[in-house]
């Protein structure tokens, strides 16, 4: 886990414990362009729906890289 990812997770947990409202999105399409757009919205969280979505395990690295571009 990169230091930036760890920092983001800790910030998320801290805000959650404080009872702050956290806004997120649900990604069901395996499309790195769409993932990048969602990353640009600066959501507090993005769920990658592998149960109902069209993701394969091999898609995940590109999806996560696209989200992290923000």
């Amino acid at each position: 886990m990169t230091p930036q990812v760890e920092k983001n997770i800790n910030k998320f947990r801290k805000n959650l414990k404080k009872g702050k409202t956290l806004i997120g999105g649900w990604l069901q399409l395996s499309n790195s362009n769409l993932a990048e757009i969602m990353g640009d919205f600066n959501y507090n969280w993005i769920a990658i729906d592998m149960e109902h979505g069209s993701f394969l395990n091999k898609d995940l690295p590109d999806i996560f890289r696209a989200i992290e571009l923000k």
Side-chain angles (χ1 to χ4, degrees):
M1 182 177 331
T2 67
Q4 183 61 43
V5 170
E6 191 169 349
K7 180 181 173 185
N8 290 343
I9 290 171
N10 289 334
K11 182 180 175 184
F12 178 85
R13 288 178 177 160
K14 198 178 294 184
N15 287 332
L16 194 59
K17 285 180 184 177
K18 290 180 182 178
K20 291 189 175 184
T21 300
L22 301 172
I23 306 296
W26 209 265
L27 185 60
Q28 290 185 302
L29 300 175
S30 180
N31 182 303
S32 58
N33 292 323
L34 182 56
E36 186 176 345
I37 290 168
M38 290 188 74
D40 286 340
F41 282 121
N42 291 321
Y43 287 130
N44 298 112
W45 57 270
I46 298 173
I48 308 299
D49 188 351
M50 292 187 66
E51 183 177 357
H52 304 103
S54 62
F55 292 94
L56 299 173
N57 285 339
K58 70 177 186 67
D59 300 329
L60 295 177
D62 289 334
I63 297 297
F64 289 128
R65 270 193 294 274
I67 291 170
E68 289 179 341
L69 283 174
K70 63 178 180 167

